[in-house]
Amino acid sequence: MTFTTLLISIWLGAATATTPAPQSHARAVNLNAVANQPTTYWYEKVKHNGISPFIDGGHKWMVHRNVKTDFGAVGDGKVDDTDAIQAALDFGNGTEFRNSSAWGTTGAPAVVYIPQGTYRITRPLYNYVDTVIMGDPINKPVLKAADTWHEKNKFLLYGHDYNYDSTINFYIGLKNIVLDSTQVPASQNITLLNWAVSQNVQLANVVFNMANKGSGHTGLSMPEGGSPLIMNNLLFQGGSVGVRMNEQQYHFKDLAFKNMDIGLKLDKLFEGTGQGLRFESCKVGIETTNNNTGFFALIDSSATDTEILWNSAGSSTAQGSMVIENVNVDDSVASTVAVAGKSVLTGSVDRGKAWVWGNVYGPVNGERSLGKLYTSGRSNVLTDDTGAFHNAIEPTFAEYDVSQVVNVKNVCGLPVKGDGVTDDTENLQTIINKAAGKKLIFFPHGTYLVSDTIHVPPGSKFFGEAWSEISATGDKFRNENAPKAMVQVGKPGDTGVAQFVDMLFTVADILPGCKLVEVNMAGARPGDVGFFNSHFRIGGARGSRVHTHCDDPATCMAARMCAHLTESSSSYWENSWCWSADHALDDDFGANPSTAGGFLVESTRGTWLNGIGSEHNVLYQVNIDKAQNVFLGFQQSETPYWQGVDSGLLTPEPWTNSLLASDPDFAWCDKSDAQCRMAVYQLVRDSSDVNIYGGGYWTFFNGINRKGCKGECQENAAIYFNNTRLTSFGISTHNVRTMVLEFDEKYLAVVNDTANSGGWQSGGGVMAAYLRQN
């Protein structure tokens, strides 16, 4: 078989990309909208020279795979393309296949690119970790189950890697694709996608087409479970069920369900947010009648020609807590909420109000609410003219012609290697400066070492490939008392565009003074300064001394924080995981790094955080400090597995001598209380106009030997100090005693798990609403 590569010479010319016109905020801002879009996606034509830096022969590794030109798929809807597409997924180095797991989780990166066309599929396709299946966003390709589909084949696509447990199915993507079962008999059982995955995955811009009145057809399910963050911009049409959910947590964002029995069937979910969901011609929008859902919030959503929007069990305990806010239904919707077969809410829930079923704390005292309306404010900075939170669609940059794209490894006179060895700082900076406002910057897969801050000016747009890595190295990032940004987005006062898609930020060494990303710039509209499907990894993978030298957290102050959103910034985040490693992805090393913090938010000009994960950082996972106008749609977090009883370190150790003014000092803890001196999941202090939804905080272990928790083994989850106009809807915990600790002249454990039992089968707590600082 001949493997072809398109050889395109790219230089930094003066061509200017078309700027999308401002859009109405009544729906998500489409950052890709242009008047004259190219007919062929630039990614199909640009030079592909990505590598796998840390495996033998990795400089020859095939990252980009075009199923047509490289593997012989036809895409005419007639020829069986199953073997060709599976071959693109399987191909390794010519000796071993990718299904062997020979290269660990991060050593076998692949983007399986599917050009426009209809691809006839006759048996299930199997995907692997470190793989992105990506279609042409201009003309989405269709993967179509053949009319000969055998009834024994239950899934069209296994989107997860069966070689790994679902909770470590990382680095997987599926986007710009149509999955289709319309030729399979309506009564035959088929599910289009098995999505049993976890963090650092993407499911976006996918259409699920099922047979009309297809009683046996389901869009996606995940019978093996998992621990993911978000799925977004999906359309489900026909069939019986759109999404059948069996997960720990999820942020469902911009999902549309049309012409089916049940749109979103929550078989199991401990914590979730549904934002921008649209139900049209469904019998039931959301189904939670088995009472196996801890908390779910439905916001900024709508239903038309739907019998019941939300059909619930109506638990008498904290389990099954519900919040509905800014949801519009038309006259055809007989019941907005039904509880145990009885309608308890009809009509819309207007802006400024929240309908709550569950335990509510505030405005003054706590109470049990069985369907009551509460005042719920939102800052005008955060919302559009409909009262919905501002929203943006991930840019594909489909408006760019290939002549408007610069491959950073293909610039004459400015060599950039991305090999994890060469210092690429100087030449990368020159390319970025020259491209600003003129070119889309494409990073072929690799690890781009930088020994000094990369400054990102207004007008910059970055596009990675299977999470291209920017990795810090060198002495300039070592001083924990003077933290320095690896990637600095703008200077204070800058306004403009800086967008990051499919990138990963990491460290190549133990660098206690490294802030991986610092954002100073503000956008003119939400999404102008945006991070989409871009993540952080500190340790756990090849290419970093944090991976090989971090058995002891006392001697491994790995990095200062993942992201710092400064006071002058305004940024939009969607699907971002800050992971300080708890295990090794590629080899058998210990993983106990000490990263000080996750996300530090000090912005006052508008911040939108969607589908956020922050795990195993020492002081905090998310810290909102002296900030204003912050929307946090969903957060999933875990504390470091080595903290707690028998850890050998009492937080803020080992960072005691280098604390920032924004860091928690743990003054609310006794000096020897190991379970109190554990990382704060969510800290909001001296802030205003903060709207929080869907927090899932899971504590599993105590001590350096990782003794499994058998009950409460952490004292505090969320801490709220001296805030105004703060609303927090939905906190779920596992093995945490105090769900909300507040401070207003004195410390007070307001919400505890024993009074709010639910969520996890054991050791779980569920709170519906906290309104005491509203």
Side-chain angles (χ1 to χ4, degrees):
M1 183 175 292
T2 301
F3 298 100
T4 63
T5 305
L6 296 170
L7 302 176
I8 309 294
S9 177
I10 307 294
W11 178 237
L12 297 169
T16 302
T18 305
T19 302
Q23 302 293 304
S24 167
H25 291 302
R27 290 285 182 259
V29 175
N30 185 354
L31 301 172
N32 305 300
V34 292
N36 297 305
Q37 187 165 267
T39 57
T40 302
Y41 192 33
W42 64 266
Y43 184 78
E44 200 167 321
K45 294 183 176 181
V46 75
K47 177 167 181 160
H48 293 283
N49 50 359
I51 62 173
S52 181
F54 306 114
I55 65 171
D56 292 339
H59 65 289
K60 296 181 180 179
W61 182 265
M62 187 183 192
V63 177
H64 173 264
R65 297 118 188 269
N66 185 314
V67 299
K68 283 187 175 181
T69 59
D70 293 330
F71 291 90
V74 178
D76 64 354
K78 300 177 182 178
V79 173
D80 185 352
D81 285 321
T82 312
D83 287 344
I85 295 175
Q86 191 62 58
L89 291 162
D90 288 347
F91 182 76
N93 61 0
T95 302
E96 291 199 68
F97 292 99
R98 295 178 71 247
N99 60 358
S100 70
S101 303
W103 300 282
T105 298
T106 70
V111 175
V112 177
Y113 179 73
I114 305 181
Q116 62 178 288
T118 298
Y119 298 80
R120 186 170 184 264
I121 308 299
T122 57
R123 64 181 185 281
L125 296 168
Y126 293 87
N127 195 24
Y128 308 111
V129 295
D130 216 9
T131 305
V132 177
I133 301 175
M134 182 169 73
D136 178 353
I138 300 172
N139 296 286
K140 291 188 190 72
V142 180
L143 301 184
K144 194 162 194 170
D147 54 2
T148 57
W149 192 264
H150 197 283
E151 61 184 10
K152 70 177 182 180
N153 295 324
K154 301 304 181 185
F155 293 92
L156 174 65
L157 171 62
Y158 287 85
H160 70 301
D161 189 332
Y162 58 82
N163 294 294
Y164 295 88
D165 184 84
S166 63
T167 58
I168 54 173
N169 257 255
F170 304 145
Y171 306 105
I172 295 173
L174 178 66
K175 58 177 155 184
N176 313 332
I177 297 282
V178 177
L179 302 178
D180 190 295
S181 60
T182 56
Q183 289 189 343
V184 177
S187 61
Q188 184 173 322
N189 289 332
I190 181 173
T191 299
L192 288 169
L193 176 64
N194 185 325
W195 197 240
V197 296
S198 289
Q199 296 91 341
N200 206 136
V201 303
Q202 183 183 34
L203 179 62
N205 198 22
V206 176
V207 176
F208 297 78
N209 280 338
M210 295 167 278
N212 189 34
K213 298 182 180 179
S215 59
H217 293 218
T218 297
L220 70 87
S221 67
M222 54 293 292
E224 297 84 1
S227 182
L229 298 177
I230 190 170
M231 60 175 69
N232 53 294
N233 302 107
L234 308 178
L235 170 61
F236 300 86
Q237 301 182 118
S240 179
V241 178
V243 176
R244 188 155 193 176
M245 181 55 49
N246 174 37
E247 295 280 12
Q248 294 180 16
Q249 68 277 321
Y250 240 120
H251 189 171
F252 305 96
K253 183 173 173 290
D254 300 322
L255 274 56
F257 303 89
K258 299 182 179 181
N259 302 309
M260 61 185 59
D261 294 328
I262 302 172
L264 184 57
K265 184 174 175 58
L266 303 182
D267 290 335
K268 184 184 81 172
L269 189 73
F270 300 141
E271 184 76 19
T273 302
Q275 179 186 4
L277 306 190
R278 297 179 299 280
F279 302 94
E280 300 177 20
S281 302
C282 299
K283 293 180 180 178
V284 174
I286 301 170
E287 177 81 62
T288 59
T289 52
N290 69 352
N291 201 31
N292 205 15
T293 300
F295 170 87
F296 193 74
L298 180 66
I299 65 173
D300 300 347
S301 298
S302 65
T304 59
D305 191 26
T306 295
E307 295 176 17
I308 302 173
L309 172 55
W310 192 334
N311 193 23
S312 81
S315 172
S316 59
T317 68
Q319 178 79 355
S321 293
M322 299 179 280
V323 167
I324 299 178
E325 189 185 47
N326 194 34
V327 171
N328 295 314
V329 302
D330 68 7
D331 293 339
S332 68
V333 179
S335 178
T336 305
V337 179
V339 168
K342 179 182 178 181
S343 180
V344 297
L345 178 67
T346 58
S348 300
V349 177
D350 296 331
R351 67 171 83 180
K353 298 291 184 181
W355 182 91
V356 182
W357 182 290
N359 293 341
V360 179
Y361 291 82
V364 180
N365 299 312
E367 65 177 359
R368 176 69 183 170
S369 171
L370 298 181
K372 180 178 177 180
L373 287 172
Y374 295 84
T375 299
S376 175
R378 298 179 177 186
S379 163
N380 291 336
V381 173
L382 294 173
T383 57
D384 62 24
D385 56 9
T386 72
F389 290 109
H390 282 302
N391 200 357
I393 296 174
E394 175 186 315
T396 62
F397 305 111
E399 70 272 22
Y400 283 76
D401 182 80
V402 71
S403 65
Q404 299 170 301
V405 180
V406 57
N407 177 331
V408 296
K409 294 178 65 175
N410 199 42
V411 178
C412 182
L414 295 171
V416 170
K417 300 294 185 181
D419 59 6
V421 177
T422 304
D423 185 347
D424 287 323
T425 311
E426 185 176 349
N427 288 345
L428 260 184
Q429 188 66 69
T430 301
I431 292 169
I432 290 167
N433 291 346
K434 290 185 176 182
K438 301 173 183 177
K439 298 277 188 176
L440 169 64
I441 304 172
F442 171 55
F443 286 76
H445 187 86
T447 299
Y448 298 83
L449 281 186
V450 296
S451 59
D452 203 349
T453 300
I454 292 294
H455 299 277
V456 179
S460 299
K461 299 181 179 182
F462 291 13
F463 191 94
E465 184 177 52
W467 300 284
S468 305
E469 301 175 15
I470 300 177
S471 183
T473 187
D475 291 341
K476 291 185 178 180
F477 300 110
R478 293 194 192 279
N479 187 352
E480 65 265 33
N481 291 303
K484 185 179 180 67
M486 176 183 73
V487 175
Q488 184 183 66
V489 182
K491 299 176 182 178
D494 279 351
T495 300
V497 173
Q499 296 171 333
F500 300 80
V501 177
D502 296 3
M503 299 294 293
L504 189 141
F505 308 101
T506 185
V507 291
D509 203 347
I510 299 169
L511 300 173
C514 184
K515 293 191 291 185
L516 276 72
V517 170
E518 176 185 282
V519 182
N520 299 299
M521 192 187 306
R525 60 177 180 172
D528 280 357
V529 178
F531 292 77
F532 302 88
N533 189 35
S534 292
H535 306 271
F536 303 84
R537 184 178 67 224
I538 302 168
R542 297 181 188 122
S544 175
R545 290 186 74 250
V546 181
H547 177 50
T548 56
H549 291 75
C550 279
D551 283 340
D552 183 0
T555 61
C556 183
M557 296 166 70
R560 195 53 182 78
M561 68 182 72
C562 286
H564 182 193
L565 313 184
T566 69
E567 181 180 1
S568 66
S569 71
S570 176
S571 58
Y572 185 96
W573 294 72
E574 185 171 281
N575 191 13
S576 190
W577 182 40
C578 164
W579 186 56
S580 191
D582 64 282
H583 67 280
L585 298 174
D586 300 325
D587 304 289
D588 190 18
F589 291 105
N592 292 304
S594 173
T595 304
F599 289 84
L600 171 59
V601 182
E602 296 177 319
S603 169
T604 62
R605 301 180 61 180
T607 300
W608 297 264
L609 302 168
N610 304 278
I612 298 297
S614 187
E615 295 189 314
H616 317 304
N617 302 295
V618 173
L619 303 177
Y620 60 83
Q621 309 312 319
V622 171
N623 182 1
I624 301 172
D625 186 71
K626 297 180 177 63
Q628 299 172 26
N629 304 306
V630 178
F631 166 70
L632 176 51
F634 173 86
Q635 177 193 338
Q636 178 269 331
S637 293
E638 299 174 11
T639 43
Y641 288 172
W642 52 264
Q643 284 187 332
V645 176
D646 297 326
S647 68
L649 292 173
L650 294 178
T651 307
E653 292 178 329
W655 295 90
T656 307
N657 296 324
S658 56
L659 292 179
L660 305 176
S662 58
D663 288 332
D665 59 9
F666 296 87
W668 53 87
C669 298
D670 183 84
K671 290 183 178 180
S672 61
D673 190 339
Q675 291 187 343
C676 183
R677 290 182 174 274
M678 297 174 68
V680 180
Y681 282 116
Q682 185 181 89
L683 175 61
V684 186
R685 180 170 50 185
D686 297 327
S687 297
S688 61
D689 294 301
V690 179
N691 299 90
I692 299 172
Y693 301 82
Y697 309 133
W698 321 133
T699 302
F700 296 112
F701 301 100
N702 258 196
I704 195 67
N705 295 318
R706 301 190 180 186
K707 183 179 179 180
C709 293
K710 295 181 180 179
E712 298 165 330
C713 60
Q714 179 163 350
E715 184 61 41
N716 299 303
I719 302 180
Y720 299 146
F721 284 8
N722 298 326
N723 304 291
T724 57
R725 295 184 299 281
L726 162 71
T727 58
S728 179
F729 290 113
I731 290 179
S732 292
T733 59
H734 184 49
N735 297 323
V736 181
R737 185 173 290 106
T738 301
M739 300 170 68
V740 177
L741 176 71
E742 72 174 23
F743 180 83
D744 187 0
E745 298 183 353
K746 64 179 181 179
Y747 299 108
L748 182 63
V750 178
V751 186
N752 64 73
D753 63 334
T754 55
N756 295 274
S757 181
W760 286 82
Q761 291 87 344
S762 62
V766 177
M767 178 205 76
Y770 174 88
L771 305 173
R772 287 169 57 90
Q773 296 179 19
N774 186 15

